[in-house]
Amino acid sequence: MTTWRGAVGVPAARVEGPAKVSGRAGYAYDRPVADPAYAFPVQATIARGRVVSIDSAAAAAVEGVLAVVTHRDAARLADTEDAELAVLQSDAVGFRGQFVGVVIAETPQAARHAAGLVRVEYEQRPHDTELRADRPGLYAPEQVNGGFVTDTDEGDVDTALEAAAVSVDRVYTTPMEFNNPMEPHSSVAVWDPGEWDAGGGFAEDARLTLFDSTQGPHVVRSTLARVFGLPPERVRVISPYVGGGFGSKGMPHAHNVLAVVAARAVPGRPVKLALTRQQMFALAGHRTPTIQRVRLGAGEDGRLTAVAHEVVEHTSAIKEFAEQTAVGARMMYAAPNRRTSHRLAVLDVPVPSWMRAPGEAPGFFALEVAMDELAQACGLDPIELRARNDPEVDPESGRPWSGRHLVRCLREGAVRFGWAERTAPGTRLVGRELVGLGVAASTYPYYRFPGSRAVVAYEGGGRYTVRIGAADIGTGAWTALTQIAADALGCPLRAVRVEIGDSDLPAATVAGGSSGTTSWGSAVVAACRAFRHVYGEQPPAGAEAGADMPDDPDVERFAMHSFGAQFAEVRVDADTGEVRVSRMLGVFSVGRVVNPRTARSQFIGGMTMGLSMALHERGVLDHRTGHVINHDFAEYHIATHADVVDVDAVWLDEEDVHTGPLGARGIGEIGIVGAPAAIANAVHNATGVRVRDLPITPDVLLR
Amino acid sequence: MTPFEYLRAEDPAEAVAAVAGRPGAAFLGGGTNLVDHMKLGVAGPDLLVDVSRLPLDRVEETADGLRIGAAVRNSDLAAHPLVRERYPVLARALLSGASGQLRNVATTAGNLLQRTRCPYFQDVTTPCNKRVPGSGCSAIGGYTRYHAILGASEHCVATHPSDMAVAMVALDAVVVVLGPGGARTLPLAELYRLPGDAPERDTVLEHGDLITAVELPHLPFARRSAYRKVRDRASFSFALVSVAAALDLDGGRVRDVRLALGGVAHRPWRAARAEEELRGGPATEDAFRRAAEAELIAARPLPGNAFKVAMTRNAVVATLRALAEEGR
Ligand SMILES: Cc1cc2nc3c(=O)[nH]c(=O)nc-3n(C[C@H](O)[C@H](O)[C@H](O)COP(=O)(O)OP(=O)(O)OC[C@H]3O[C@@H](n4cnc5c(N)ncnc54)[C@H](O)[C@@H]3O)c2cc1C
Ligand code: SF4
């Protein structure tokens, strides 16, 4: 057993902080490479059809242009199974904004200018980008994201709903949302040697290095190796610093392939590619819009008899992604009869993907507003309603919880937040503002992905290096892993240096599913123990030992989830309907917190993103053109500082003895879950108006 | 971005000559709007004549009021003691616009002449009559949340995005222009055009016309004035609707009033009808509402922005109510 000797649990400052604030941290695009060329994509201006002709003469004539590559002359890829990544392999256009070419030039300006001169003619086919619940052709995917089954049906939901003394039957919607991080997606591709054999094939020993901005260097490596037909050991992905990801850098996207294809077109030249903000709206993934019908049946006392959560959402024509929106309803409340389903519309839209808390984030908007509606219908306090429906064991698996402290979070939050001040809906007018309080529950599963390995080396002089190909996307992983290693080795924090963000390091799983600290951390603990086991406390310089992340048998025996309570106070301008969130509080139960400082920033960051989802974010698809028309940060609103007045997060002091050596469950995503519902519920409390469609903009509340 | 040449003008006359003599030339202020457009392919000048460093960067008191140089930065203007004291509506309008960083760079003339934020105008892959005359208006039948409810045409339904200009129009500002043919002045309200069948022309200015200053006449009662901007988020967003108002009370009656609206039309909208309705009448909430409604009779909302009618009405009432309360 590792004893936590003082590094874990301490609010250590970010180890990479000084490098970041002093500008020494090398982000992908800024990497100095010899003699770089610059790529700028040409994007489809139709949503469906095919490219008929491309006139690149004017582009090629621009001074400094080195090459214009299209599907006619792009390098053939070894594996085109993943259509998102089959870049420039055919004339087909599957969504507006898809790559149809790339210009490579001596400067980024020349590349961009020339890209605008490439004339592409299309044979346009009718496209369809509009999600509706009543559209024909909705289908059930084989499974939904995370490997969950698509539908569940327990008991007899219809009968229970019919017999229910109190019921709620409502439709909730969330729009297309975008997780554009601060740092745009960028890749620098370097081939070595830079020359090809006469047939355009790889040299025997060709190696590819990609400086990238990714949540998982090893995933990018294995994917690119497959796509380009290279052995993985000849691909190296380097990504030590990442300016945010929120899921959008969780898997490789088309731009990674495009950078490599572009570099093949200019032998001997590394190629730099950074997406523009506008391009990211078509090429970096997004959250599907959702249409969610929630039905709740309960007795007069509020005890649930039935929960049905049925979701309609979209996927792209070229690649399936099925957000697991209704999965949370399977385990959240103790209703004997439960039904969940996911139906997808195949649309001619960009490829949806992971966005912070895929599934739970949109799903808990619907479920938790519905619970508020049920509380109102039963005349119960919403906290009391949730307490009455808190299940003893996981309703889905029947397993005991590894630790379910939702009710504690709710009750503790109620005291801290001043929940008792809440008045009846629409009754609290302060000046010209209607004030209201709202609450919602939050949860996120404990994920721990196998496949990580850590290696510990003793450098002499009391210094250790820990190597693992993990990624710190701003989460604090770098610091947390240093703390974990220090305690596991029994040495001071400053004696440990962690190396991450490079696929030449021991393999690590992706920074996703809030799994990083627990998965990588378990591997680090195992490696440190292995090291001490072999070398004891007095290792020779150069000593090295490694270990894989150990299995956790408790995963099969317990239901493991984090929980939280989200509180919001809103002020709604009685004249204009403008909503301001004056206070937010999250109380979380997440197992052990490795670093309170970085954890707090994860929580309040998630809650802020939830605020943004509640009030601001909406991608507007123009169905005539098939593209998101508000594709920049002036028009696609995310919360600004002025919108985020007072956001606070606290957590229960606990450890989850079933989640491996750390006793932690992961914290990256739970902060967003439930936050939009808490705000929507507060808006109802303030105004008496129930808003079921996000975002809640002033016009909706205007009187 | 199309390659271009750059010239830093030494004096206004040189700037005018340089632009007037070349069809593809454009003045450059802070560049916060024009350079964006160059990157997006919306504008492609082959010569930029930088006028941001001309000696037009002073705010001066004159016999008739205040003279604001064309190159005065938005943040400097907002912070100017005379502006804050005599024309609070202008200071507040400026501070409600853009962000601190942008206001530090943006100039008075550039702000007046910034172009619409209609997303179709800014996206060269879509038709737009303002960008490419005759190509069609994509906003009609599309996304119109930020579009006009007053004075639009079948050719263009865009709004003018400036906050500053709304306050200036309420204050009867006058624009000083130096053209190839010499200097002239015109009321700011007449600088802007309605789209009609030529939405490509935002203003009545001709190629080579340089704005050198804006003059604000004396308006003592503007010391009690306010700017109310209704928006989708608390800062850094354009107005859904906005109201610039100054109110002169005589007991419980309105002696005089200035009222202009933003976010509702192709130009800052002077609410002359509402002003007329208000003058001499009671300073009551009812009267404010009736006046707003009188102005909005002409409103022709689009499917995506019908809410703006009630929102404008409420914002007018709220602004006048607050000013009236302040005066009691
Ligand atoms: C993200 C974002 C948010 C914004 N939000 C707001 C907002 O909420 N409210 C708001 O009001 N504005 C907002 N703005 C717009 C901002 O106020 C304008 O971009 C700025 O005022 C333009 O001033 P500039 O000096 O940079 O103009 P420039 O970009 O330099 O020029 C704009 C135009 O004026 C012409 N020009 C410049 N100077 C002269 C002159 N002396 N004579 C004749 N022509 C001239 C140029 O040729 C060009 O056509 C926002 C801008 C951005 C980018
Ligand atoms: S409203 Fe005006 S600016 Fe917008 S698309 Fe139509 S013509 Fe262009």
Side-chain angles (χ1 to χ4, degrees):
Chain A
M1 194 58 207
T2 302
T3 43
W4 303 109
R5 308 166 211 242
V8 165
V10 164
R14 289 175 190 271
V15 298
E16 83 288 11
K20 281 183 175 167
V21 298
S22 62
R24 281 179 291 119
Y27 289 84
Y29 195 81
D30 303 329
R31 277 303 176 116
V33 288
D35 204 14
Y38 298 86
F40 198 89
V42 182
Q43 294 175 272
T45 55
I46 61 164
R48 183 162 168 257
R50 62 182 199 90
V51 174
V52 175
S53 71
I54 299 179
D55 177 1
S56 53
V62 169
E63 194 184 323
V65 167
L66 300 168
V68 182
V69 181
T70 70
H71 71 94
R72 290 175 312 209
D73 41 25
R76 292 301 100 187
L77 301 176
D79 183 333
T80 55
E81 175 119 351
D82 182 337
E84 182 190 3
L85 302 179
V87 169
L88 305 184
Q89 297 301 292
S90 82
D91 59 1
V93 174
F95 63 90
R96 187 169 165 129
Q98 196 172 8
F99 294 138
V100 294
V102 61
V103 177
I104 306 119
E106 296 288 354
T107 65
Q109 291 81 3
R112 185 171 185 166
H113 172 52
L117 300 177
V118 176
R119 291 287 154 259
V120 184
E121 294 208 8
Y122 300 94
E123 180 188 305
Q124 193 168 355
R125 309 263 303 277
H127 65 257
D128 186 357
T129 57
E130 193 172 358
L131 182 67
R132 291 192 324 271
D134 62 353
R135 45 174 298 133
L138 295 176
Y139 78 101
E142 256 173 48
Q143 57 174 31
V144 293
N145 180 52
F148 297 99
V149 297
T150 303
D151 295 353
T152 58
D153 206 345
E154 284 278 320
D156 184 348
V157 168
D158 296 322
T159 308
L161 281 171
E162 245 166 65
V166 188
S167 62
V168 170
D169 179 358
R170 293 293 183 181
V171 174
Y172 306 85
T173 69
T174 63
M176 203 173 179
E177 293 159 351
F178 294 85
N179 40 350
N180 269 216
M182 184 94 81
E183 183 203 16
H185 294 61
S186 39
S187 298
V188 180
V190 189
W191 284 100
D192 176 33
E195 307 299 329
W196 312 115
D197 64 29
F202 299 116
E204 260 309 292
D205 56 347
R207 290 185 61 92
L208 169 66
T209 304
L210 196 76
F211 299 99
D212 197 24
S213 180
T214 175
Q215 296 173 226
H218 283 91
V219 184
V220 177
R221 177 176 79 163
S222 56
T223 307
L224 290 183
R226 194 184 70 235
V227 166
F228 286 93
L230 288 165
E233 49 301 346
R234 284 206 261 126
V235 179
R236 181 174 178 196
V237 177
I238 302 173
S239 176
Y241 300 101
V242 182
F246 309 108
S248 73
K249 296 172 182 169
M251 40 182 125
H253 293 297
H255 70 279
N256 295 103
V257 179
L258 190 73
V260 179
V261 166
R264 283 205 62 178
V266 286
R269 303 290 299 270
V271 166
K272 292 191 168 197
L273 169 70
L275 296 184
T276 65
R277 193 58 76 189
Q278 281 93 350
Q279 287 164 351
M280 286 166 69
F281 280 77
L283 293 155
H286 63 268
R287 194 190 312 279
T288 173
T290 68
I291 302 172
Q292 310 180 45
R293 182 179 183 195
V294 178
R295 286 177 291 167
L296 304 176
E300 305 275 5
D301 60 356
R303 281 181 213 285
L304 284 165
T305 52
V307 173
H309 192 169
E310 291 149 306
V311 180
V312 177
E313 48 199 21
H314 80 204
T315 185
S316 71
I318 69 163
K319 181 176 177 177
E320 180 182 278
F321 179 83
E323 180 136 351
Q324 71 274 38
T325 305
V327 162
R330 296 172 186 171
M331 48 62 68
M332 199 58 188
Y333 295 115
N337 305 291
R338 298 180 315 279
R339 177 185 299 154
T340 62
S341 70
H342 300 84
R343 294 293 175 272
L344 296 186
V346 179
L347 299 179
D348 304 304
V349 293
V351 184
S353 185
W354 296 330
M355 174 160 171
R356 203 172 200 168
E360 280 78 8
F364 273 66
F365 165 65
L367 184 64
E368 290 300 296
V369 174
M371 285 297 278
D372 204 63
E373 300 205 51
L374 182 65
Q376 194 192 353
C378 296
L380 271 179
D381 181 275
I383 293 177
E384 180 56 29
L385 176 72
R386 289 174 175 89
R388 285 189 191 178
N389 288 293
D390 201 47
E392 295 273 309
V393 296
D394 175 15
E396 191 179 20
S397 65
R399 290 180 195 153
W401 304 103
S402 71
R404 176 171 172 133
H405 305 300
L406 172 62
V407 177
R408 256 177 76 193
C409 293
L410 288 162
R411 300 246 193 258
E412 164 139 13
V415 174
R416 286 174 177 263
F417 201 64
W419 184 246
E421 287 166 28
R422 182 167 171 269
T423 59
T427 57
R428 207 168 137 203
L429 187 69
V430 180
R432 296 294 305 169
E433 287 178 333
L434 292 153
V435 182
L437 302 185
V439 69
S442 175
T443 190
Y444 196 77
Y446 165 64
Y447 291 116
R448 196 157 155 271
F449 300 127
S452 291
R453 178 175 179 79
V455 171
V456 178
Y458 183 61
E459 314 288 354
R463 308 194 63 82
Y464 296 86
T465 302
V466 177
R467 298 189 171 89
I468 180 166
D472 187 331
I473 57 175
T475 51
W478 214 312
T479 315
L481 295 178
T482 307
Q483 291 172 273
I484 292 166
D487 272 4
L489 287 167
C491 64
L493 206 56
R494 60 176 188 284
V496 177
R497 195 169 60 88
V498 168
E499 289 182 7
I500 61 172
D502 188 335
S503 67
D504 271 6
L505 296 168
T509 50
V510 69
S514 301
S515 69
T517 303
T518 46
S519 302
W520 309 325
S522 304
V524 167
V525 169
C528 293
R529 285 180 190 166
F531 183 90
R532 286 286 184 239
H533 182 75
V534 178
Y535 299 106
E537 298 294 324
Q538 306 290 330
E544 201 175 288
D548 293 338
M549 186 187 87
D551 289 338
D552 181 357
D554 282 357
V555 169
E556 300 301 319
R557 299 184 13 236
F558 291 90
M560 299 179 171
H561 299 259
S562 288
F563 292 91
Q566 303 265 16
F567 291 83
E569 178 189 80
V570 302
R571 295 171 176 267
V572 181
D573 190 300
D575 294 309
T576 63
E578 289 164 292
V579 181
R580 301 289 177 253
V581 180
S582 42
R583 285 193 297 140
M584 273 178 104
L585 172 70
V587 182
F588 299 100
S589 160
V590 293
R592 185 192 306 281
V593 166
V594 175
N595 183 328
R597 184 195 305 230
T598 51
R600 189 183 132 78
S601 102
Q602 283 294 294
F603 289 132
I604 65 174
M607 292 165 70
T608 300
M609 210 159 164
L611 184 163
S612 198
M613 176 175 170
L615 301 185
H616 306 304
E617 297 190 36
R618 167 167 52 198
V620 180
L621 249 178
D622 188 321
H623 299 302
R624 301 166 307 173
T625 56
H627 79 307
V628 175
I629 187 66
N630 57 341
H631 52 176
D632 61 46
F633 277 0
E635 323 295 327
Y636 179 89
H637 288 165
I638 54 176
T640 63
H641 286 290
D643 295 288
V644 187
V645 179
D646 177 359
V647 177
D648 198 9
V650 296
W651 48 90
L652 306 183
D653 187 11
E654 58 173 331
E655 107 182 76
D656 188 332
V657 295
H658 302 295
T659 58
L662 288 170
R665 279 193 304 251
I667 57 172
E669 284 156 286
I670 191 166
I672 192 176
V673 180
I679 291 168
N681 295 340
V683 165
H684 174 261
N685 182 242
T687 62
V689 179
R690 183 63 75 181
V691 184
R692 301 186 182 90
D693 307 293
L694 291 184
I696 306 170
T697 49
D699 45 307
V700 180
L701 299 170
L702 198 64
R703 283 290 164 272
Chain B
M1 196 189 282
T2 315
F4 60 90
E5 289 170 60
Y6 174 89
L7 174 77
R8 183 176 298 166
E10 296 296 329
D11 61 67
E14 183 199 348
V16 170
V19 170
R22 191 143 147 190
F27 296 118
L28 178 70
T32 60
N33 193 224
L34 182 57
V35 175
D36 269 4
H37 285 165
M38 291 165 67
K39 288 187 194 162
L40 293 170
V42 172
D46 56 18
L47 169 66
L48 285 184
V49 178
D50 190 341
V51 295
S52 69
R53 290 172 222 219
L54 291 179
L56 303 171
D57 58 348
R58 310 242 326 254
V59 180
E60 292 159 312
E61 205 172 352
T62 64
D64 306 319
L66 216 56
R67 184 185 166 94
I68 302 161
V72 173
R73 308 288 163 169
N74 288 179
S75 45
D76 293 337
L77 185 57
H80 198 281
L82 290 179
V83 172
R84 294 178 52 170
E85 187 187 317
R86 297 182 191 171
Y87 309 100
V89 60
L90 177 57
R92 288 186 206 161
L94 280 158
L95 291 177
S96 76
S99 65
Q101 295 91 328
L102 285 159
R103 294 194 296 269
N104 285 342
V105 181
T107 61
T108 305
N111 189 318
L112 289 178
L113 297 180
Q114 62 175 302
R115 309 206 66 191
T116 184
R117 305 299 295 201
C118 172
Y120 302 98
F121 173 73
Q122 298 184 119
D123 184 337
V124 296
T125 68
T126 60
C128 165
N129 285 329
K130 189 181 276 301
R131 188 169 22 79
V132 181
S135 61
C137 171
S138 293
I140 294 174
Y143 178 55
T144 55
R145 185 172 180 79
Y146 288 88
H147 289 73
I149 56 171
L150 287 163
S153 75
E154 58 182 316
H155 304 287
C156 179
V157 293
T159 50
H160 193 266
S162 169
D163 291 297
M164 181 192 80
V166 181
M168 286 182 169
V169 161
L171 294 170
D172 290 320
V174 169
V175 185
V176 186
V177 178
L178 182 66
R184 66 186 195 276
T185 61
L186 75 162
L188 177 60
E190 288 169 25
L191 174 78
Y192 296 109
R193 295 180 68 260
L194 287 179
D197 59 4
E200 69 278 10
R201 296 195 58 196
D202 294 352
T203 70
V204 300
L205 295 182
E206 300 292 339
H207 185 69
D209 277 347
L210 177 76
I211 294 181
T212 55
V214 175
E215 292 174 347
L216 297 182
H218 273 307
L219 190 67
F221 76 82
R223 283 169 193 263
R224 188 188 303 147
S225 61
Y227 189 73
R228 179 76 161 91
K229 179 172 177 181
V230 185
R231 43 184 151 177
D232 276 332
R233 64 180 170 187
S235 84
F236 207 21
S237 58
F238 290 91
L240 287 165
V241 308
S242 69
V243 178
L247 191 61
D248 187 14
L249 290 183
D250 176 12
R253 306 197 77 76
V254 176
R255 188 183 302 132
D256 202 356
V257 62
R258 295 286 182 281
L259 194 62
L261 308 175
V264 294
H266 196 255
R267 65 182 185 205
W269 191 264
R270 182 71 179 263
R273 213 156 151 195
E275 287 182 6
E276 213 170 291
E277 192 86 11
L278 287 164
R279 258 181 220 115
T284 61
E285 180 145 351
D286 265 358
F288 299 155
R289 174 168 294 105
R290 276 197 309 275
E293 279 165 356
E295 189 69 43
L296 290 163
I297 285 173
R300 298 287 172 271
L302 300 157
N305 69 11
F307 66 88
K308 280 190 172 186
V309 178
M311 187 177 273
T312 309
R313 180 198 64 208
N314 288 7
V316 167
V317 173
T319 312
L320 293 175
R321 185 208 297 126
L323 284 175
E325 277 166 11
E326 203 183 301
R328 290 219 175 90

